[in-house]
Amino acid sequence: MKNVLTRSLTGLLYIAVIVGAIFGGALWFWLLTVLFGVLGINEFNRIANRNRFSTTTGLLDIIGGIALVSMGSAISAYGALPGFLGAWSLSTFLFVYVVYLLARLVAQLYVQDGSALAHYAVSFMGQIYVALPMALLGWLYSVTSPVFILSIFVLIWLSDTGAFCVGSLLGRHKLFERISPKKSWEGFFGGLFFCLAAALAFQLCVPQYFMGMGVWRMLGLGAVVCVFGTWGDLVESLIKRTLGVKDSGNLLPGHGGILDRIDSLILVVPATMAYMLALAVMTY
């Protein structure tokens, strides 16, 4: 009972922080993406390197992640971030990131923390796996609307909830037993139903926030979020199973680490961006 209460309170606080940042404005949302990027990179480095990594290279990875995430927020805001970062252009963050790439390669020459090749691979995978999707999330925020971004989170949460509820009640056929024995096809289709129903509700209730997307395109968005959210969960499960860890961390009581919370988002964001770009190409 205590664990359920802890998990519920942590989940509510997590949702409140996300919703507050989304509607707090561009600066607060940029801070949220940076926070996810920094915490995610740190967790990924720790579990992938089995807690054997240098403070120097870890700090460089965080600096590189912040620069990469910030580029996403700057892409569509006329080359600038809001607030006190208004004078910082996209080229500034690109410059910082190029310096990071050079510094990270050179730094490993002076750091003895195990296999140099393995640590290079972990560093750059952390940038691609965690920081790049957060950069794309900032890009989506700047070209869509707060309601659109919230809808992505809501669709992910409903997909997870639907999959859990339906899978717990009716799950018989394993979805991907090698990686996640508890997931079932029944759960997946339950999550898909929740996603499609929510996407339809968004289109019917607040169509003005979805850039003229009709019913079928909104249903397509729901399907994209459900499918790639499921794959995102499975990818993180594969990483943890390969490394022999249960959770990515213990930052969120009852939930594990931040990667355990944003694993679906990590694949959903690039997929959503690709989907929106494809719709734009077909329209014009």
Side-chain angles (χ1 to χ4, degrees):
M1 182 64 182
K2 182 179 178 181
N3 184 56
V4 172
L5 180 61
T6 300
R7 182 178 176 86
S8 298
L9 290 175
T10 302
L12 288 173
L13 180 60
Y14 173 75
I15 292 173
V17 169
I18 290 175
V19 174
I22 289 174
F23 290 101
L27 178 59
W28 285 103
F29 192 74
W30 169 75
L31 289 173
L32 178 70
T33 58
V34 168
L35 180 64
F36 281 169
V38 168
L39 294 176
I41 287 172
N42 184 62
E43 282 186 0
F44 181 79
N45 283 353
R46 285 189 179 279
I47 63 173
N49 289 319
R50 304 182 190 278
N51 288 318
R52 292 186 59 196
F53 72 103
S54 161
T55 302
T56 301
T57 56
L59 181 60
L60 285 174
D61 288 341
I62 288 174
I63 292 172
I66 292 174
L68 181 54
V69 171
S70 299
M71 278 193 278
S73 298
I75 286 174
S76 299
Y78 193 61
L81 283 170
F84 66 93
L85 292 172
W88 285 42
S89 66
L90 174 61
S91 60
T92 302
F93 294 113
L94 179 60
F95 171 77
V96 173
Y97 196 71
V98 170
V99 171
Y100 154 73
L101 293 175
L102 295 172
R104 181 62 188 84
L105 290 169
V106 173
Q108 198 68 48
L109 295 172
Y110 301 93
V111 174
Q112 296 182 4
D113 54 0
S115 169
L117 183 59
H119 287 291
Y120 279 139
V122 167
S123 288
F124 296 133
M125 182 177 175
Q127 299 292 311
I128 295 172
Y129 179 59
V130 181
L132 181 58
M134 294 305 104
L136 297 179
L137 183 58
W139 179 87
L140 275 176
Y141 184 88
S142 65
V143 299
T144 57
S145 69
V147 173
F148 183 92
I149 297 300
L150 178 62
S151 74
I152 299 301
F153 281 95
V154 170
L155 291 175
I156 291 173
W157 296 334
L158 288 177
S159 176
D160 289 344
T161 302
F164 175 78
C165 293
V166 176
S168 298
L169 292 173
L170 305 175
R172 298 292 184 273
H173 302 86
K174 301 300 182 183
L175 176 66
F176 221 120
E177 189 171 9
R178 177 173 62 89
I179 295 175
S180 186
K182 293 183 179 181
K183 290 189 181 299
S184 66
W185 278 105
E186 290 84 357
F188 168 76
F189 285 112
L192 179 62
F193 173 80
F194 274 57
C195 251
L196 296 179
L200 182 60
F202 278 124
Q203 204 282 328
L204 294 176
C205 297
V206 285
Q208 66 271 26
Y209 295 110
F210 294 91
M211 299 163 290
M213 295 172 65
V215 171
W216 288 108
R217 291 186 173 189
M218 282 299 295
L219 291 175
L221 177 64
V224 166
V225 171
C226 180
V227 171
F228 282 89
T230 302
W231 276 336
D233 193 333
L234 289 170
V235 166
E236 202 228 359
S237 294
L238 176 61
I239 291 172
K240 292 190 294 185
R241 185 173 289 272
T242 301
L243 297 172
V245 298
K246 182 178 182 296
D247 296 318
S248 64
N250 54 11
L251 178 68
L252 304 173
H255 291 264
I258 195 67
L259 287 179
D260 296 319
R261 291 297 88 208
I262 65 171
D263 52 0
S264 296
L265 185 68
I266 285 172
L267 259 67
V268 165
V269 170
T272 300
M273 188 192 79
Y275 179 70
M276 299 302 292
L277 289 174
L279 291 181
V281 169
M282 289 189 293
T283 300
Y284 296 103

